Amino acid sequence: MKTNSVKYITIILLALASPFAYGQYRISGTVKSDQGKAIPSASVLLSPSNKGGKTDSTGKFSIEGLKGKQILSVSSIGYKLFTKDLSLDSSIYLDIILKPDARTLNEVTISAGSFEASDKAKGASLTAMDAFTVAGNNADLSLALRSLPGAQQVGDLDGLFVRGGTGDETKQFIDGTLLKNPNYPKVPGVQQYARVNPILFKGILFSTGGYSALYGQAMSSALILESNELPEKSSAYFAIFPPSFNAGIQQLSSNKRSSYGATLRYSNATFYNSIVRQKPDYFSGPEYFEGDANFRIKTGKTGMVKFYTNWNISDVGMRNADIDSAALKSSYQVKGTSIYNNLSYKDYLADSWQIDAGLAYSYNKDHTINGLLDADGQPVNPQNEVLSYKNAQRLIRSNFAQARIVFTNAFSNNQAIRFGAEHFYNQDRGFSKDSTLSVTDNLSAAFVEGDIYMAKDLAAKIGARIEYSSLLNKAVIAPRASFAYRLNDGGQFNLAYGIFYQEPLNEILYQSTNLKFSKATHYILNYTKKARNRFLRIEVYRKQYADLVKTVPVISNEGSGYAQGVELFFRDKKTIKNLDYWVTYTYLDTKRNYLNYPFALQPAFATPHTATVAIKKNFQEINTYVNVSYAVATGRPYYDLRYSIDENAYKIFDQGKTKAYSVMNLQIAHLFSIFGSWKQRPVSGFSVGVNNVLGTKQVFGYNYSLDGANKVPITLPATRFFYAGIFMSFGIDRTSDFLDKNL
């Protein structure tokens, strides 16, 4: 048997060694832009042989061992896909020209609008893996993007706080449809993490302002995510990072025209919290159980149907000393259930027409239980009416659905027009203590947008969006315009203007629907330059708020505000070999008069100065990388806002600024291979990390007692967060993902 095995292996090796053996041939050539410049690292793939590679620094490639009919595909970020049918009866050499594609979305991009004049020159370009691996983000995309300019370092609240906007003013979209509930249920003073995994997305567009007319209902920012298509091959993985465990598979069909996949994740921090002391006394969890599944099917030559579903349950219960009574404890527990479904379809109807359609449905249930406990942990029903409100339950069931369709007609010179419509259905039902809560809304929108190339170095994107809400019984029109001018030295100026509307939160609509859309007007100017793996971006902006919701003296749209500032982003992957770093600085001047604010104030989530540094060092010779992030910010304002009977209005009884924010996070990962004798050798690794390495005490604000006599700081649950674990991937060698892309 051993002799036969050696013989068979020898025959196979000899066949592979000669490109002309058994009628097999070579394809080689160069890949260049339409301006004659070589395109390095372009992906070259032949099917059905499934052979391929990447072009070298001069744009050249060579693939051997081919025969018969093949389909050649060549792709590179910022360029249109090149395909060619081949029938091989000899070796061939090809000169391939890739045409620029301003609409390609494969990287995170921060810009003065969601468009490019020629390539990704205008964007602060980060891959999905870059964002995913920023030290300290805990696999949460929103936290990772806080290392970019425009975002505030808010450690006690969920979501992205961008350019003076609240976390609710940033919305997330998956394949065009809204992700209604991106985070687990809110817990006072403790961040809750994202429900979706960023590794699922091939495209991430983080627009900090002036974004496309195709998206709405986000006054500050849009996080636009595009899911992966068919995997390159079947694979499986598992990871154990106590207190979290997760595993998944991706199965590619034999004809490579469809795939399906699923993952499961479970986390329970009870044991971890017993070792690392937490400030809240957790009596339940935090516990999270999550699963997702997907399938993808090619339809015809160019069509693709994708389906993604995610379901999860969570339970967080904690006790704290009651701020209004030294003898009592305050109990808070929230149980959440969420289901999200997304079905999308993309195809070319003709040579120049493309259709993008999507359906989404989500169900969300949050059950919150508040209570007062005595020293023995037993429930207390105080006679004091001031304290009795702390014993309460709240249950909200939400149903959300969206249908969306977009048509795009592409013209010559990358010019295009796109138009479409979408409809949102939103229903909330529930109760809070003795009150019934109910909201039903139908929001319809239509939009149109054009890409116009007015000259070789001058481009524009001009569009508009109209929205109508049945609940508010009001319609609005939102114009958008962006311009880009490219300089001879490769630099680029970008200018954007837009009006962005947003409905009041359901928390407000439970109480009153006699309201209108809130409004933000954006003015943005930036300069960018990308050269030799370095990128510089400087941006100034002004955002004017109108019709913000006020809750005092009555619920109305009498609020207003502004935000303005300067941002700097610099990234360098060139100067030091295998070292990638970026530096950001944000200056923010903002005030708003909304909710119960007595007049225009700097909001409690905003600070004037924020800076971050992210460093990734790749030690390729030992398959190890070190990832460090550091963020600093000036202190945030805090206020004791209470109703004054004497003045019949809300008044500031106490105010100040917190100490400066400073946090350093560290992550180290090492890759190795085990089971080397296996036919499909898995790639394994371990990772360790510490968030807040220096143990800096963070203060995010203060909670006040009802009479203002007691003042308690809002801090991290624990000074540091530690993690360590292992992972293993089968079927696909993830080394390039984890090391070449700095993971």
Side-chain angles (χ1 to χ4, degrees), residues 174-486:
I174 296 179
D175 292 333
T177 55
L178 178 66
L179 179 59
K180 181 69 172 178
N181 301 287
N183 293 83
Y184 284 101
K186 295 181 182 298
V187 175
V190 181
Q191 276 184 348
Q192 297 299 294
Y193 298 113
R195 284 170 159 142
V196 296
N197 189 339
I199 207 68
L200 296 170
F201 306 109
K202 69 172 184 179
I204 301 175
L205 179 64
F206 177 38
S207 178
T208 51
Y211 59 88
S212 166
L214 273 62
Y215 303 94
Q217 289 300 300
M219 285 196 296
S220 288
S221 175
L223 180 56
I224 302 167
L225 309 171
E226 184 179 2
S227 64
N228 291 320
E229 297 188 358
L230 293 177
E232 59 185 85
K233 59 172 20 177
S234 298
S235 63
Y237 81 94
F238 73 87
I240 303 175
F241 280 78
S244 299
F245 307 86
N246 61 85
I249 62 167
Q250 288 292 327
Q251 183 68 40
L252 180 65
S253 66
S254 58
N255 63 3
K256 303 187 187 307
R257 296 190 60 83
S258 64
S259 70
Y260 65 87
T263 63
L264 285 175
R265 290 172 289 277
Y266 177 73
S267 175
N268 191 323
T270 302
F271 178 70
Y272 176 87
N273 291 342
S274 68
I275 299 174
V276 180
R277 186 176 180 181
Q278 308 288 304
K279 179 184 176 183
D281 174 19
Y282 287 105
F283 63 83
S284 182
E287 182 179 24
Y288 309 93
F289 187 32
E290 177 182 335
D292 61 57
N294 64 80
F295 69 76
R296 309 174 183 101
I297 303 173
K298 279 189 175 181
T299 59
K301 293 183 178 180
T302 58
M304 174 71 74
V305 173
K306 295 189 286 188
F307 175 75
Y308 171 73
T309 183
N310 175 286
W311 60 265
N312 53 79
I313 56 176
S314 62
D315 183 7
V316 181
M318 62 185 189
R319 305 182 189 92
N320 286 291
D322 184 66
I323 196 171
D324 292 294
S325 173
L328 300 177
K329 294 181 179 180
S330 177
S331 171
Y332 180 93
Q333 184 174 20
V334 59
K335 296 182 177 181
T337 301
S338 177
I339 301 172
Y340 171 75
N341 301 282
N342 180 309
L343 178 66
S344 64
Y345 171 67
K346 177 183 292 187
D347 201 354
Y348 286 90
L349 302 178
D351 290 341
S352 60
W353 281 95
Q354 178 179 317
I355 181 174
D356 293 87
L359 294 171
Y361 168 75
S362 63
Y363 169 79
N364 194 77
K365 182 179 78 171
D366 291 347
H367 186 195
T368 306
I369 305 169
N370 290 286
L372 284 175
L373 308 173
D374 61 21
D376 297 324
Q378 298 302 310
V380 174
N381 292 308
Q383 300 301 314
N384 184 341
E385 292 185 4
V386 176
L387 296 179
S388 63
Y389 83 97
K390 295 188 177 185
N391 285 328
Q393 289 196 42
R394 173 188 170 100
L395 176 67
I396 300 292
R397 293 185 176 92
S398 300
N399 286 280
F400 171 80
Q402 179 186 357
R404 170 186 172 91
I405 190 167
V406 183
F407 295 96
T408 302
N409 188 11
F411 305 102
S412 60
N413 299 321
N414 286 327
Q415 301 193 97
I417 185 170
R418 59 187 64 86
F419 56 88
E422 57 189 349
H423 183 80
F424 303 84
Y425 171 78
N426 184 25
Q427 181 197 70
D428 276 15
R429 296 287 186 271
F431 66 86
S432 180
K433 206 168 185 179
D434 298 326
S435 300
T436 299
L437 306 177
S438 177
V439 162
T440 300
D441 182 39
N442 286 277
L443 178 76
S444 300
F447 44 81
V448 62
E449 184 176 78
D451 297 338
I452 305 170
Y453 282 74
M454 296 173 284
K456 177 183 177 183
D457 297 317
L458 181 62
K461 182 185 288 290
I462 299 175
R465 180 182 179 91
I466 183 170
E467 297 178 335
Y468 171 76
S469 166
S470 65
L471 184 63
L472 303 181
N473 193 25
K474 292 187 173 56
V476 291
I477 298 177
R480 315 272 172 88
S482 301
F483 301 88
Y485 178 70
R486 185 175 56 190

Side-chain angles (χ1 to χ4, degrees), residues 618-647:
N618 182 355
F619 298 93
Q620 288 185 328
E621 63 278 4
I622 56 173
N623 283 353
T624 300
Y625 85 96
V626 178
N627 185 352
V628 179
S629 68
Y630 181 63
V632 293
T634 49
R636 288 162 47 185
Y638 60 86
Y639 310 101
D640 178 18
L641 287 170
R642 284 182 283 126
Y643 183 75
S644 171
I645 299 178
D646 295 336
E647 300 183 21

Side-chain angles (χ1 to χ4, degrees), residues 133-138 240-242 272 623-629 664-672 685-693 721-727 738 743:
T133 58
V134 175
N137 74 74
N138 299 320
I240 303 175
F241 280 78
Y272 176 87
N623 283 353
T624 300
Y625 85 96
V626 178
N627 185 352
V628 179
S629 68
M664 176 180 287
N665 305 311
L666 172 67
Q667 181 183 30
I668 301 174
H670 173 70
L671 295 182
F672 55 88
F686 67 83
S687 178
V688 296
V690 183
N691 294 353
N692 196 22
V693 176
F721 175 73
F722 306 90
Y723 60 93
I726 61 171
F727 57 86
F738 283 80
L743 176 65

Side-chain angles (χ1 to χ4, degrees), residues 48-124:
S49 66
N50 202 33
K51 292 189 175 184
K54 290 185 178 294
T55 58
D56 62 18
S57 60
T58 64
K60 294 181 179 179
F61 70 93
S62 179
I63 303 171
E64 300 178 345
L66 302 163
K67 64 179 180 178
K69 292 184 178 181
Q70 299 285 335
I71 300 175
L72 173 66
S73 300
V74 183
S75 62
S76 183
I77 292 172
Y79 295 91
K80 291 183 177 180
L81 176 67
F82 173 91
T83 60
K84 185 178 180 65
D85 292 334
L86 303 173
S87 183
L88 299 178
D89 54 12
S90 64
S91 295
I92 62 173
Y93 186 92
L94 299 171
D95 288 313
I96 297 171
I97 304 298
L98 297 187
K99 296 181 179 180
D101 184 358
R103 293 170 287 113
T104 301
L105 174 61
N106 283 323
E107 295 185 336
V108 177
T109 306
I110 301 178
S111 67
S114 306
F115 78 107
E116 288 77 38
S118 61
D119 54 14
K120 294 294 181 180
K122 180 165 65 66

